[in-house]
Amino acid sequence: MPGKLKAKIVAGRHLPVMDRASDLTDAFVEVKFGNVTFKTDVYPKSLNPQWNSEWFKFEVDDEDLQDEPLQITVLDHDTYSANDAIGKVYIDIDPLLCSEAATVISGWLPIYDTIHGIRGEINVLVKVDLFNDLNRFRQSSCGVKFFCTTSIPRCYRAVMIHGFVEELVVNEDPEYQWIDRIRTPRASNEARQRLIFLMSGELQRKIGLKVLEMGGNAVVGYLQCFDLEGESGLVVRAIGTACTLEKISTLPATATLPSNSSPSKDIKEPVFGEEGPGVPLSSGPPTPLRAQTFSSFSPSKSYSRQSSSSDTELSLTPKTGMGSGGSAGKEAGPLKALLRQQTQSALEQREYPFFTLTSFPPGFLLHLGGVVSARSVKLLDRIHNPDEPETRDAWWEEIRQEIKSHTKALGCHAVVGYSESTSICEEVCILSASGTAAILSSRFMQDGPLETDHRFEEMVPPGCEFCHIPYDELNIPFPAQLTYCCCCRRYKVPDVLFTTIDLPTEANITGKGCLIQARLCRTKKKAQGEGNAMAISNLLPFLEYELHTQLMNKLKLRGMNALFGLRIQISVGETMLLGLASATGVYLTALPSPGGIQVSGKTPSDITYEQHISNMQKKINDTIAKNKEVYEINPPEVVEEIIGSPIPEPRQRSRLFRSHSESSDEVSEIDLSHGKKDAFVLEIDDTDAVEDIHALLTDSPTPAGFYSCNTEIMPGIQNWTSAIQMFTSVRVFRLNNVNLTNQGLNKVFSDLCENLLKSLYFKLRSLVPCCLCHLNFTVAIPEDELIQVAVTAVAMSFDKELTLENGKQSGDKSLKKENDEQLQFNLELNAEMSSSNLSSPKGLTEVGSHPSAKASSLEKASPLPEGRSRSLRSNRSYSGSSVAVVRMTPLSFIPGAKIIKYLGIINMFFIRETTSLKEEGGVSGFLHTFIAEVFAMVRAHVAALGGNAVVSYSMKECVFMENPNKNQAQCLINVSGDAVIFVRESEVEAASVHPQSAATQTSNGEGT
């Protein structure tokens, strides 16, 4: 399917001065795609050149359109010496290849240079004409949509979910080639940037091909990562979930949805309707044999990579087993067992029944087993031929098979919330994968008699079903305390539940959630090669065990009983291992309420020692009592009474629970011996345990009015206003002469994370009451004795007074808030302001003085980049009117707004290097400016596509290296997200009143 790519260079502005004599620049532009290069004329002596070139046409194959970026280089013409580079712009053509997405890329894009940062802007127009070609053997996958969001995108519904896709591409790292010794830092950075753009394009194309083979048209939950392996190469790998999506008809339909539900619930109702068009509902009873002929599951042979061995193993696996056993199967009779067996056998046909999604349509998850994870330590220098992906494929294969067998052991047949990560130091690489074992509904297979299936589903109150254990009680592979479910009293539930997914929308919870973090540092000896790898793999299980213990203790201390969004990162350095586990704790009404924590000493001879212990015990009890108050956890005592009344809606039920628990005052006194819950005993016999308890009690409580979680939406809060603010903050801490014992390191690391959170609370104090959602911590040990913690989160304010019932009122309030917000940062930057002036307000507003940390940098999404992108776009309309800012958020939705169009995935990679670190404000100033520039570039590219927001934004990679003696530093950042167009809900309502004006409404939507 060949295509024609057309590009036009319109103008430039704010270019840097390149000729000392005249203080001006003779600029011209090279436009390169593949091996073809076009040049514009030289525009002499101007910092704001107007080229107005003709259309440059590239006639190319569509594989190249997917693989290659369009490369625009701005140069300064010199008559006698070589032309000087001003900077480059890479434009990803992929968004133009989808039929529904943008048709043209046009706008002011920042010109970026890896040494000097942003140096002016350039106005370009890019179009693509594709000739359709239905060749069966084609190598391109145009038209497959990619989404970073880990739930079904907002304006689509899933007709079918096909399953897991993965791919991995390897190349030599330009930094380590022999030529690098003789070329300039700028040239090697650009070679690296270009290579990574190329590799991620190729990766996306290959994954798209796999999806087309499976019969899908989209990849959801697309997660792409880089492994910088040094000498042995550069790996780009990605995983995702292949789906068939279909657009939900737009505006007027939304008027019928209840106005009081939260945005996430609104949009999930229409998803996954059983009335999938074109799928006939067959009437006969399903048989396991028929399950294998469904188109929704293409057998794994067609898209697994030369793994014939695994295919045969899979087809030999017995199709019975856990399906027929299991507590649920016994009671619901043979039909349900048959249905479950059928789902299972169909899932077993695939190579990996993994899903990278973290939130699902209601009724899709039947039961959750718990977290499954696998880790493995590998030596990179043992790879036979580093340029081929085989070895690494085999490594990941091994890990995925292990996850699969863990899932089976838990009596489950699928893994949800699945993710993979690596940590590399010198030649050692730790590969990790984790997810949540689950049993899925056969409904998404679009087969068979759905009605009968429903009859059985309805027997269980929907709010607690996913908590019921999927495994057989009698042969549990691990010790667990099971009790009857507190909601329905019919099925068994575990005493705690750990998962890696978001809280299901139908879940019954009591009170609010909170962020729970476990942090650990372990020293190891410096070693080389195999000895090093052995030492690390011996340490890993203990590290993980201690992280889990810490999580468990902190969960009990908060008086909660379940963790959602669990993410464990293990980072390896030369002399230490870092572990950071973050999750959101909630109190699930279905699970038993947790016992307290009891401290007992081993040697009770000493009286002072006993006093010390009783003091600790008192402190712990007080903390638990206080936490229950803060997070409003008063579990309802008389559950039977409530369940007796016919309550259809799980949402109302949880509201009833909440109001019930608030009204009963007698519950407030905590009786730790209450019921049959045993207290959790902590034995103090050595310094380790004392340190654990110390860590438990020193976690500073969040300030009043603040809540935090690392999932998409905060459990227990629904009334968001539309004031949101995203930020990214990076801290680098140098361990100089700290006592490098485990305890010393633990304290340093713990303080680093605590202080980072505290500084965020302080800076966001004006937004109270507010919640930090999607707190995403990434830890790294970039070089010896350096710890780096980066956090990205979004602050969302909510209305305390508003109850869920009066949704209309909330609309008015959020509008008022919106206007305030715009006043708050009304930074109309003059379009003539040069980029050097731009950095001055930033320094003042953001980096407070942090004497303790080596470098702190907070990049608010508001003052600077908003102002800048406003000035970027104000000239497009050529009337100085202010244009709306491109919103950025790590969530998959924008509160108080409706996403009407997805324009494509944004996946950008930048390298920044400096040889004058001190002059740029040290590590803090350097990182800070770089992140601000990345934000500005992402915003400009989204605006050029015609979008007004980025959702599911994440900073995947932030690698920082410094050489303080030489005053040098280098940083690599990889960001991704989905570019979208959204409209405010107030406008949607207006549009649904006059359906005929709906078309005009959406076209104006961009300006909101």
Side-chain angles (χ1 to χ4, degrees):
M1 188 162 81
K4 192 183 281 181
L5 171 67
K6 300 187 291 189
K8 179 178 181 163
I9 307 294
V10 185
R13 62 182 184 199
H14 307 163
L15 297 186
V17 170
M18 299 301 278
D19 292 341
R20 294 284 163 79
S22 59
D23 279 356
L24 292 166
T25 297
D26 307 323
F28 70 98
V29 180
E30 282 185 357
V31 183
K32 184 177 178 197
F33 190 84
N35 304 325
V36 186
T37 308
F38 290 106
K39 287 184 183 173
T40 65
D41 302 334
V42 176
Y43 195 92
K45 300 202 174 356
S46 167
L47 297 181
N48 299 311
Q50 303 285 326
W51 290 287
N52 264 329
S53 71
E54 79 259 31
W55 285 96
F56 299 127
K57 296 188 179 69
F58 301 91
E59 291 176 348
V60 285
D61 213 20
D62 52 348
E63 291 151 56
D64 298 337
L65 282 175
Q66 282 185 297
D67 289 5
E68 298 252 357
L70 178 68
Q71 189 174 315
I72 294 173
T73 315
V74 185
L75 297 134
D76 171 53
H77 175 75
D78 288 333
T79 318
Y80 300 113
S81 57
N83 298 333
D84 298 329
I86 294 176
K88 280 188 192 278
V89 181
Y90 290 102
I91 299 178
D92 185 12
I93 308 295
D94 219 37
L96 297 180
L97 302 179
C98 273
S99 48
E100 297 164 22
T103 51
V104 60
I105 296 177
S106 94
W108 288 96
L109 300 173
I111 301 167
Y112 179 72
D113 177 65
T114 56
I115 306 289
H116 299 285
I118 290 181
R119 306 175 89 186
E121 292 138 27
I122 185 168
N123 194 344
V124 291
L125 284 164
V126 183
K127 287 184 178 175
V128 172
D129 295 334
L130 277 180
F131 316 123
N132 257 330
D133 168 18
L134 301 170
N135 176 0
R136 279 185 50 225
F137 303 103
R138 62 181 188 163
Q139 284 302 300
S140 83
S141 54
C142 289
V144 175
K145 292 185 278 295
F146 284 82
F147 299 97
C148 290
T149 163
T150 54
S151 53
I152 300 295
R154 297 289 139 155
C155 46
Y156 290 91
R157 59 181 269 270
V159 180
M160 213 163 280
I161 296 189
H162 299 280
F164 183 67
V165 279
E166 51 79 35
E167 186 58 82
L168 172 149
V169 185
V170 188
N171 211 313
E172 225 182 330
D173 192 342
E175 281 277 304
Y176 294 88
Q177 289 166 344
W178 64 268
I179 192 166
D180 203 56
R181 298 190 188 126
I182 53 174
R183 64 178 165 195
T184 61
R186 172 182 286 133
S188 88
N189 287 342
E190 278 172 5
R192 218 171 177 187
Q193 258 183 209
R194 181 179 151 69
L195 177 70
I196 285 182
F197 266 109
L198 276 170
M199 286 169 74
S200 60
E202 183 189 345
L203 191 70
Q204 241 169 283
R205 173 173 63 84
K206 287 187 169 171
I207 282 199
L209 279 172
K210 289 190 172 181
V211 172
L212 291 173
E213 261 176 47
M214 294 164 82
N217 65 1
V219 178
V220 184
Y222 183 68
L223 175 78
Q224 181 182 317
C225 301
F226 296 95
D227 300 333
L228 301 168
E229 296 182 348
E231 297 280 329
S232 45
L234 192 143
V235 175
V236 185
R237 55 189 168 78
I239 54 175
T241 304
C243 301
T244 303
L245 298 182
E246 153 184 300
K247 210 162 166 57
I248 298 173
S249 59
T250 41
L251 299 168
T254 52
T256 56
L257 290 169
S259 56
N260 60 355
S261 54
S262 69
S264 65
K265 288 197 180 124
D266 259 17
I267 298 147
K268 287 224 175 92
E269 321 272 15
V271 173
F272 258 73
E274 283 95 50
E275 62 297 325
V279 181
L281 294 176
S282 58
S283 47
T287 59
L289 191 133
R290 231 187 97 229
Q292 291 160 20
T293 57
F294 287 128
S295 58
S296 55
F297 293 108
S298 44
S300 58
K301 288 191 180 60
S302 59
Y303 58 93
S304 69
R305 234 201 246 125
Q306 298 103 30
S307 49
S308 50
S309 60
S310 65
D311 285 341
T312 48
E313 283 161 32
L314 284 169
S315 48
L316 293 174
T317 43
K319 299 277 188 266
T320 52
M322 308 143 253
S324 47
S327 48
K330 279 183 228 147
E331 284 152 66
L335 182 72
K336 187 157 185 187
L338 187 70
L339 276 171
R340 172 161 309 176
Q341 202 169 318
Q342 182 182 331
T343 318
Q344 185 187 329
S345 61
L347 276 166
E348 271 185 356
Q349 273 195 6
R350 345 179 140 186
E351 198 171 359
Y352 301 113
F354 298 166
F355 299 89
T356 51
L357 304 179
T358 55
S359 55
F360 301 91
F364 180 67
L365 284 178
L366 291 186
H367 304 288
L368 291 178
V371 172
V372 284
S373 75
R375 285 181 212 290
S376 144
V377 182
K378 298 289 184 195
L379 282 171
L380 296 172
D381 48 11
R382 296 292 163 87
I383 301 178
H384 294 306
N385 43 352
D387 300 344
E388 295 300 318
E390 274 77 45
T391 318
R392 292 153 183 107
D393 274 337
W395 288 353
W396 284 112
E397 184 102 358
E398 208 176 277
I399 279 199
R400 292 178 190 133
Q401 288 293 353
E402 192 173 328
I403 291 255
K404 210 171 146 178
S405 61
H406 287 331
T407 309
K408 279 218 174 98
L410 278 173
C412 295
H413 58 219
V415 178
V416 291
Y418 179 74
S419 66
E420 297 177 345
S421 63
T422 57
S423 169
I424 295 174
C425 173
E426 304 285 312
E427 73 280 4
V428 173
C429 173
I430 299 181
L431 313 178
S432 333
S434 65
T436 305
I439 286 187
L440 307 179
S441 146
S442 56
R443 203 176 307 173
F444 79 108
M445 291 164 47
Q446 295 273 328
D447 66 324
L450 290 161
E451 305 75 39
T452 51
D453 193 15
H454 266 314
R455 215 167 301 143
F456 287 116
E457 306 293 320
E458 295 312 310
M459 288 166 50
V460 183
C464 65
E465 191 189 5
F466 72 92
C467 310
H468 303 158
I469 54 164
Y471 33 85
D472 196 348
E473 233 179 296
L474 304 171
N475 28 5
I476 307 180
F478 51 86
Q481 292 179 319
L482 302 179
T483 47
Y484 278 102
C485 170
C486 295
C487 288
C488 63
R489 300 275 176 209
R490 286 226 298 289
Y491 296 97
K492 290 285 179 80
V493 291
D495 51 350
V496 284
L497 186 63
F498 281 20
T499 70
T500 56
I501 57 171
D502 282 1
L503 185 74
T505 40
E506 65 264 33
N508 284 333
I509 56 166
T510 305
K512 294 188 173 58
C514 78
L515 179 78
I516 292 181
Q517 261 195 347
R519 317 174 182 107
L520 266 187
C521 234
R522 283 284 166 267
T523 51
K524 71 173 190 61
K525 289 196 173 71
K526 261 193 183 176
Q528 290 298 310
E530 206 157 314
N532 198 14
M534 280 298 296
I536 292 173
S537 56
N538 290 340
L539 260 175
L540 275 179
F542 295 101
L543 190 72
E544 209 160 345
Y545 176 74
E546 282 181 48
L547 280 172
H548 275 268
T549 314
Q550 223 182 49
L551 281 174
M552 193 77 159
N553 289 349
K554 289 188 177 179
L555 191 65
K556 300 264 190 237
L557 196 67
R558 303 277 197 296
M560 297 174 182
N561 57 18
L563 286 181
F564 284 90
L566 175 66
R567 182 160 171 260
I568 296 185
Q569 295 171 64
I570 289 183
S571 199
V572 57
E574 279 184 27
T575 53
M576 58 183 163
L577 279 172
L578 279 186
L580 179 71
S582 340
T584 300
V586 284
Y587 184 99
L588 283 178
T589 323
L591 268 52
S593 98
I597 297 178
Q598 192 180 334
V599 184
S600 77
K602 278 281 177 72
T603 46
S605 52
D606 214 349
I607 297 175
T608 51
Y609 188 66
E610 278 191 4
Q611 268 180 332
H612 177 63
I613 283 186
S614 62
N615 280 348
M616 269 190 177
Q617 182 69 59
K618 187 174 179 307
K619 257 190 186 168
I620 286 180
N621 293 357
D622 292 351
T623 319
I624 294 181
K626 203 171 92 202
N627 281 335
K628 286 204 172 179
E629 233 164 84
V630 171
Y631 300 113
E632 303 166 21
I633 300 175
N634 310 329
E637 294 285 294
V638 263
V639 185
E640 284 80 7
E641 244 174 59
I642 301 178
I643 284 208
S645 59
I647 304 169
E649 270 288 289
R651 210 173 299 144
Q652 286 169 323
R653 181 184 298 121
S654 60
R655 196 177 306 141
L656 226 148
F657 272 168
R658 211 166 295 141
S659 57
H660 172 87
S661 59
E662 277 156 13
S663 60
S664 57
D665 294 340
E666 59 279 5
V667 192
S668 55
E669 284 137 46
I670 288 186
D671 177 12
L672 287 178
S673 59
H674 169 70
K676 57 178 183 302
K677 300 178 292 295
D678 303 318
F680 196 67
V681 178
L682 275 182
E683 293 188 341
I684 299 189
D685 54 349
D686 58 1
T687 48
D688 252 15
V690 174
E691 172 200 334
D692 277 353
I693 290 180
H694 189 68
L696 261 183
L697 296 173
T698 51
D699 252 11
S700 51
T702 50
F706 275 110
Y707 292 95
S708 55
C709 68
N710 70 341
T711 47
E712 285 249 310
I713 14 181
M714 175 74 180
I717 301 179
Q718 268 123 355
N719 33 345
W720 303 110
T721 63
S722 56
I724 61 169
Q725 190 165 41
M726 189 190 82
F727 46 84
T728 293
S729 187
V730 181
R731 281 206 183 180
V732 181
F733 187 84
R734 187 168 281 286
L735 302 164
N736 30 15
N737 311 328
V738 182
N739 53 338
L740 291 176
T741 60
N742 280 344
Q743 265 170 313
L745 278 174
N746 267 346
K747 188 161 174 17
V748 167
F749 182 41
S750 193
D751 288 352
L752 189 59
C753 298
E754 282 289 319
N755 289 339
L756 196 48
L757 280 171
K758 279 181 189 161
S759 74
L760 298 182
Y761 293 138
F762 178 71
K763 287 167 179 156
L764 296 167
R765 60 194 184 284
S766 59
L767 280 175
V768 170
C770 132
C771 171
L772 296 183
C773 290
H774 214 289
L775 264 169
N776 186 3
F777 275 81
T778 37
V779 287
I781 310 176
E783 44 194 88
D784 206 17
E785 301 198 338
L786 213 60
I787 299 181
Q788 171 197 314
V789 182
V791 61
T792 302
V794 61
M796 298 165 71
S797 58
F798 58 94
D799 270 342
K800 269 239 166 83
E801 306 77 53
L802 274 180
T803 48
L804 291 174
E805 273 77 26
N806 37 3
K808 275 279 174 282
Q809 202 178 322
S810 82
D812 308 340
K813 281 214 174 170
S814 63
L815 280 176
K816 195 176 102 212
K817 196 82 170 204
E818 181 65 19
N819 300 342
D820 293 354
E821 187 193 22
Q822 272 163 5
L823 289 175
Q824 196 177 352
F825 307 118
N826 210 344
L827 260 178
E828 282 297 336
L829 293 180
N830 192 357
E832 269 63 277
M833 231 166 137
S834 76
S835 56
S836 60
N837 296 10
L838 282 174
S839 55
S840 58
K842 182 174 55 186
L844 298 171
T845 49
E846 298 310 337
V847 186
S849 57
H850 292 281
S852 61
K854 225 10 202 306
S856 138
S857 118
L858 180 111
E859 207 302 84
K860 268 195 180 172
S862 13
L864 175 94
E866 280 197 23
R868 176 181 294 180
S869 62
R870 198 171 282 168
S871 71
L872 271 181
R873 294 184 61 195
S874 57
N875 276 25
R876 191 206 275 181
S877 49
Y878 297 110
S879 65
S881 66
S882 77
V883 182
V885 177
V886 173
R887 282 293 186 85
M888 293 172 79
T889 170
L891 308 174
S892 62
F893 64 95
I894 297 170
K898 183 173 191 312
I899 293 173
I900 53 171
K901 194 172 187 184
Y902 280 83
L903 299 170
I905 195 169
I906 295 281
N907 199 344
M908 298 169 109
F909 181 84
F910 299 105
I911 300 179
R912 181 75 195 276
E913 193 168 330
T914 181
T915 48
S916 52
L917 186 61
K918 288 196 182 71
E919 292 76 359
E920 286 187 27
V923 177
S924 170
F926 170 68
L927 277 172
H928 194 137
T929 326
F930 186 28
I931 292 176
E933 286 174 341
V934 169
F935 271 44
M937 285 183 280
V938 170
R939 285 198 158 97
H941 279 264
V942 172
L945 283 169
N948 57 6
V950 181
V951 294
S952 302
Y953 168 88
S954 75
M955 188 161 83
K956 297 272 176 49
E957 206 75 44
C958 176
V959 184
F960 172 76
M961 290 158 278
E962 75 166 322
N963 185 344
N965 311 333
K966 287 191 180 169
N967 203 10
Q968 290 173 342
Q970 189 189 29
C971 186
L972 298 82
I973 285 186
N974 167 228
V975 294
S976 60
D978 295 321
V980 298
I981 300 177
F982 73 91
V983 284
R984 292 253 156 259
E985 289 208 322
S986 48
E987 292 173 28
V988 176
E989 277 163 32
S992 54
V993 179
H994 314 286
Q996 67 272 24
S997 68
T1000 55
Q1001 192 68 29
T1002 46
S1003 62
N1004 300 345
E1006 290 180 41
T1008 55

